[in-house]
Amino acid sequence: MQYRISFPHMGKYYIPIKKAMEAFVGNYGEVILPPPITKRTIELGALHSPDFVCVPFKYTLGNFIEALENGANVLFQIAGDCRLGFYSEVQEQILQDLDFDFTFHMMELNGKNAKGLYEVFKAMNPELTLPKVVSTLAVVVRIVYAMDGIEKYIRQNIGFEVEKGGFERIEKQFLAEIATAETMPQAGRIFKKYLKKLKTVALNKPAKPLRVGVVGELYVLMEPFSNYFIEKELAKFGIEVERFITASYLIFSTQHNVKKILKQADGYVSYEIGADGTDSVAKSVVMAKKGYDGIIHLKPFGCTPEVNSIPMVNKISEDFEIPVLYFSFDAQTSETGVKTRLEAFYDMLEMKKRGRAL
Amino acid sequence: MKAYLGVDIGSISTKGVIIDGDNRIIANEYLWTEGNPIAAVKGVVESLQKQIAPEVQVMAVGTTGSARKLIGVVLNAQIVKNEITTHAIGTMSRVPDVRTILEIGGQDSKIILLRNGIVTDYAMNTICAAGTGSFLMSQAKRLGLAIEELGEMALQSENPTRIAARCTVFAESDLVHKAQIGHKKEDIVAGICTAVVNNYLNNVGKGKRILAPIVFQGGVSKNVGVVRAFEQILGHEIYVDEFGHLMGCLGAAVLAKNSGVEQLFDFNIQEVDFVTKGRECELCSNNCEIIYIYRNNEVLDAWGNRCERGLSA
């Protein structure tokens, strides 16, 4: 049988994941990407999900359904420390009840699981070797770092383009080219080439622009559709955006370490509060100390680790006099409501900066 | 004389003011939106025109409220601004040293904190309508009272009934139960007012440092029972402005004035035919709902598309 592998979307990370899975499955299958997330994706996902489950469950379930409709028969989902830990089992059951025919795999979200990957794919591709898995992962990790590096530069500067659209055009070319990288040095060269290209884009950036950091739950931070393209909206106001939570940070970075995170949190939290909650506190402290103008805290409605982080983030806001805007997202969040609050937040930061009313 | 127009088009009501160069209100109007913002604005503008002297020239327009974008196009406004900012600006023009603005409207509520004349923090209710005017409205109906009677009746109570404030559903079942076991009507009404305040403080007001001077506005500020509950719980005097319902449009007018862009406003919009048409784009499964606005059959503007393709189709 031909394996047709699929997995949920999250930002642009389908590029490295697709690359890895294609290499792993070899001649025994192919990767079927779910269609890009649209309103239909979240409607399908919400329709078949428990009402009160957090919204990434609904998005990823919608991805699975749309992938299965396009012929996928092997699905991958990640695991985690919060409700994400039960996504796989519940989604598998729901999709079975919908009479789809597929096999389902749950993978740990960490960078050290080469052996686990090898075993899963060996069952599909008898020619697969462990060294092949390891060498593929090495390139893929480099690609993820390259993507995150490029995106970081874009986030910080896209709000100040003299001519709109330059960054987006270069990013598109970059993504197309980085997908073709076969070795680590090649990926590194592509990264450098495009970072240089980005730096030639003319900017009209003040010496001290408004700087806003986004913290919160990983999925709504990294999947722009689920946060109503909040980073793009902030850029429209001419704001420099910072975000620490990226795939390279979460999966591969040695900085993503409880001890280091708690140290950054500097007494605002002294023990882990689950999933990314601890990091939301720590990164808020980091940005407050660096003199950022504001923090935006994003979470799926009902996300327990992030609810845990809110009292500490509130305290940081008070101590450092840094405003925090909170958003809870669900499947039916009103886009207008998000835009209204963002505009008011921007007005407030602008007033604070000027030291007088508009 | 130069003057400036501000309009606040909410889901329930449409408010308008004309101010002079010193931010003094020289004309004001308040009408129900009734699901037709364009008609409501025409009504407001017509009434405002009747209130001003012929030599008054409106030189700039600001819009706010949930239909601000649509009406901004209709009135060719210089300023189209969110309601949080306009409420802060409007209130400051009346009470310059205000440090906390509490606002409870028909369907939403917000809190705005100001220090030294600038907004430093705000919150808006995000999830539920508990503790807003519509809750008071439905409970008044259940008790067979007019919404305007609630406040005075609450003041008569000496022993407010304790009513769950967390959620409208629980509050309502609590209220039914308390009524059936014999609590007096005025005690229940006072209990509802307290519940609204507790709900507000536990939701939008959570974690916010509420410092005096405190201004309370929005439709619910007309309810003296809620005002008293706020005073008792916060331990501060609460200031309710007679123009409290006009702060949004006042702020929009002030911002229009400060914009520095001037263009004589043509009151003659009554005869202009504004029509909106909605269309669902079918180019992808986002199915964006695109709104076109026409002035005398000519497309003025369109929005709602997520990508450029939407408008070309």
Side-chain angles (χ1 to χ4, degrees), chain B:
Chain B
M1 188 186 80
K2 280 188 183 179
Y4 307 89
L5 168 65
V7 189
D8 177 356
I9 319 94
S11 52
I12 306 288
S13 62
T14 297
K15 288 81 67 176
V17 290
I18 293 175
I19 59 167
D20 63 15
D22 295 321
N23 299 343
R24 274 191 301 260
I25 295 172
I26 54 178
N28 71 83
E29 183 55 283
Y30 182 109
L31 292 174
W32 299 117
T33 308
E34 292 173 331
N36 189 345
I38 294 177
V41 164
K42 282 185 173 181
V44 164
V45 167
E46 187 181 7
S47 159
L48 291 175
Q49 188 184 14
K50 283 180 187 155
Q51 297 174 42
I52 55 171
E55 71 271 17
V56 172
Q57 294 190 311
V58 170
M59 297 308 294
V61 179
T63 60
T64 186
S66 44
R68 61 185 179 278
K69 189 168 180 181
L70 173 66
I71 302 306
V73 171
V74 168
L75 298 180
N76 199 13
Q78 280 82 351
I79 290 285
V80 176
K81 201 44 114 181
N82 66 82
E83 47 273 36
I84 299 162
T85 305
T86 54
H87 275 97
I89 301 283
T91 309
M92 276 192 287
S93 77
R94 305 273 302 171
V95 187
D97 59 345
V98 59
R99 289 205 286 179
T100 307
I101 300 172
L102 314 170
E103 173 159 332
I104 307 184
Q107 308 223 325
D108 69 350
S109 55
K110 47 186 168 284
I111 183 165
I112 306 174
L113 304 185
L114 308 101
R115 302 291 181 259
N116 305 319
I118 56 174
V119 178
T120 56
D121 200 4
Y122 73 86
M124 208 168 165
N125 70 343
T126 46
I127 310 293
C128 82
T132 62
S134 45
F135 169 66
L136 285 173
M137 199 95 104
S138 63
Q139 297 319 315
K141 203 172 168 198
R142 162 177 296 281
L143 296 168
L145 296 166
I147 184 82
E148 295 84 3
E149 295 174 74
L150 282 189
E152 289 298 335
M153 181 171 257
L155 291 188
Q156 290 161 24
S157 162
E158 283 162 7
N159 184 24
T161 301
R162 199 174 275 276
I163 288 171
R166 171 60 66 196
C167 163
T168 308
V169 178
F170 295 138
E172 180 155 331
S173 69
D174 218 20
L175 189 141
V176 171
H177 168 70
K178 297 280 164 81
Q180 299 304 84
I181 61 171
H183 284 254
K184 284 197 290 193
K185 214 177 220 183
E186 61 259 35
D187 290 344
I188 291 176
V189 170
I192 295 172
C193 295
T194 309
V196 165
V197 170
N198 280 329
N199 180 287
Y200 175 90
L201 294 174
N202 290 332
N203 260 305
V204 282
K206 188 149 202 114
K208 306 282 182 230
R209 189 170 289 171
I210 296 174
L211 300 177
I214 302 168
V215 174
F216 177 31
Q217 59 201 31
V220 175
S221 69
K222 305 284 173 197
N223 180 322
V224 287
V226 177
V227 176
R228 186 183 66 165
F230 263 124
E231 288 185 329
Q232 282 172 346
I233 293 169
L234 293 175
H236 282 293
E237 193 194 341
I238 306 286
Y239 180 70
V240 180
D241 193 310
E242 56 170 323
F243 291 128
H245 56 294
L246 299 175
M247 289 305 142
C249 52
L250 176 59
V254 172
L255 287 172
K257 189 192 84 180
N258 294 350
S259 73
V261 189
E262 299 200 338
Q263 188 191 2
L264 186 63
F265 175 68
D266 183 5
F267 274 95
N268 211 1
I269 61 162
Q270 305 303 331
E271 283 86 65
V272 184
D273 185 30
F274 292 100
V275 182
T276 56
K277 272 186 202 153
R279 175 179 78 82
E280 219 174 71
C281 176
E282 283 168 5
L283 291 175
C284 83
S285 48
N286 270 327
N287 302 120
C288 297
E289 290 158 40
I290 305 177
I291 302 289
Y292 293 84
I293 165 158
Y294 297 86
R295 178 175 57 201
N296 295 337
N297 294 322
E298 193 186 315
V299 178
L300 260 188
D301 204 349
W303 54 72
N305 49 313
R306 286 181 177 78
C307 73
E308 294 306 316
R309 295 191 303 161
L311 292 183
S312 55

Side-chain angles (χ1 to χ4, degrees), chain A residues 217-275:
Chain A
E217 186 275 335
L218 71 94
Y219 184 89
V220 295
L221 278 177
M222 293 195 280
E223 174 45 62
F225 195 97
S226 76
N227 64 35
Y228 299 78
F229 300 89
I230 203 162
E231 292 180 359
K232 246 189 194 168
E233 292 295 323
L234 287 168
K236 280 187 198 161
F237 293 117
I239 292 177
E240 180 182 315
V241 180
E242 177 63 283
R243 155 156 71 78
F244 292 96
I245 306 299
T246 59
S248 52
Y249 170 73
L250 288 176
I251 310 176
F252 313 119
S253 171
T254 53
Q255 296 303 311
H256 188 241
N257 163 301
V258 187
K259 270 190 189 155
K260 287 183 176 161
I261 294 169
L262 286 175
K263 196 165 168 234
Q264 278 182 332
D266 199 12
Y268 282 95
V269 58
S270 52
Y271 51 87
E272 269 197 282
I273 53 173

